[in-house]
Amino acid sequence: MALVPYTGSSVPGLSRLHGSTARLRFAGRDLSLQQDWEKSGVAAVVWDAAVVLCMYLELGKVELEGKRVIELGAGTGLAGIVAVLLGAHVTITDREPALELLSANVRTNLPQHLHESVVVSELTWGERLDRYPSGGFHLVLGADIVYLEDTFPALLRTLGHLSSDSTVVLLACRIRYERDTDFLSMLRQQFSVEEVYYEEQRDIHVYKACKLPPHRDL
Ligand SMILES: C[S@@+](CC[C@H](N)C(=O)[O-])C[C@H]1O[C@@H](n2cnc3c(N)ncnc32)[C@H](O)[C@@H]1O
């Protein structure tokens, strides 16, 4: 699957994503994330969903201190970086072609003493999941990762694998197409799903999902 599913010129409003640096302030720090749309497309720019997910994390409604967190489809890594700054141990993942820029952003935006709280690694949804502990994370993060219908079954398998019955999954989404709500319906077959935050200006929803107990035949 191509890393760049569409070109910038075909999507109105994407020009601001073409800048080489995104500057943001979270967790009391100025962050500077390198972007490279021309080389790596969607994985190499900071999406609004990541910004809104960080706004939600900063509200302190989910415990991060000392928690094991994994971010899926991290792109430039903003949400994972902010989770580390807020005290979590974070595995930040994406597909292999995204990892070079992702690693550079993680290195440059975290102070040295937090480098041991983060791992950057390859995770293509649905593939070789046994490399990650089943149910091994307190929190799973995903920002703008619900957009490719072909990936929905693999993404659901991945969420199912990583989650125990006490894991919280936070997905920050812009609902662009009917297929995006179809994904939420698919998710509801295995998880309880509630909207916990909506940022109107950027039109981003944050959903919290928790694994349902397995069905019992009566
Ligand atoms: C729209 S970008 C969002 C990036 C980042 N989370 C953000 O919000 O700024 C979607 C991300 O999902 C990743 N992705 C797409 N398909 C994937 C797959 N099958 N497995 C893992 N990651 C995937 C892309 O590489 C990209 O980083």
Side-chain angles (χ1 to χ4, degrees):
M1 187 192 310
L3 193 63
V4 186
Y6 40 72
T7 60
S9 58
S10 69
V11 183
L14 278 187
S15 53
R16 72 189 164 77
L17 298 173
H18 292 203
S20 60
T21 310
R23 294 182 204 285
L24 299 136
R25 187 170 172 85
F26 282 109
R29 289 183 71 89
D30 291 320
L31 304 176
S32 173
L33 292 128
Q34 277 182 63
Q35 307 191 112
D36 192 347
W37 171 271
E38 294 302 330
K39 186 172 166 207
S40 302
V42 296
V45 293
V46 176
W47 292 85
D48 283 346
V51 175
V52 173
L53 185 54
C54 293
M55 291 164 70
Y56 182 73
L57 293 179
E58 277 207 316
L59 292 179
K61 296 193 180 209
V62 287
E63 180 62 47
L64 286 164
E65 187 65 48
K67 300 294 181 189
R68 285 189 306 280
V69 176
I70 186 163
E71 183 181 10
L72 304 177
T76 59
L78 175 64
I81 289 167
V82 170
V84 175
L85 291 170
L86 293 172
H89 299 277
V90 187
T91 303
I92 305 185
T93 72
D94 207 307
R95 296 171 63 223
E96 203 281 329
L99 296 187
E100 188 180 339
L101 184 74
L102 175 56
S103 300
N105 277 324
V106 167
R107 264 196 317 276
T108 53
N109 284 284
L110 287 175
Q112 187 70 36
H113 74 278
L114 289 179
H115 285 192
E116 63 189 26
S117 297
V118 67
V119 173
V120 173
S121 67
E122 189 271 339
L123 195 165
T124 299
W125 305 328
E127 294 182 14
R128 299 167 64 212
L129 293 178
D130 54 348
R131 293 175 302 141
Y132 295 89
S134 171
F137 295 92
H138 298 107
L139 180 65
V140 180
L141 299 176
D144 214 338
I145 60 171
V146 177
Y147 67 110
L148 295 171
E149 201 164 18
D150 287 354
T151 67
F152 290 175
L155 180 55
L156 283 170
R157 277 203 306 286
T158 306
L159 294 175
H161 174 81
L162 298 171
S163 301
S164 69
D165 55 9
S166 59
T167 301
V168 169
V169 177
L170 290 177
L171 296 176
C173 308
R174 174 168 293 143
I175 303 297
R176 299 180 176 93
Y177 306 106
E178 198 176 328
R179 63 177 186 247
D180 304 341
T181 48
D182 291 345
F183 176 82
L184 293 174
S185 303
M186 292 162 77
L187 185 64
R188 284 193 172 94
Q189 291 171 14
Q190 295 173 47
F191 289 78
S192 66
V193 181
E194 60 172 319
E195 183 174 314
V196 290
Y197 192 60
Y198 175 62
E199 212 276 331
E200 197 175 355
Q201 200 185 338
R202 295 177 179 80
D203 187 23
I204 299 290
H205 305 258
V206 179
Y207 299 99
K208 174 180 168 183
C210 299
K211 209 172 195 177
L212 293 168
H215 285 300
R216 293 236 175 108
D217 291 330
L218 295 175

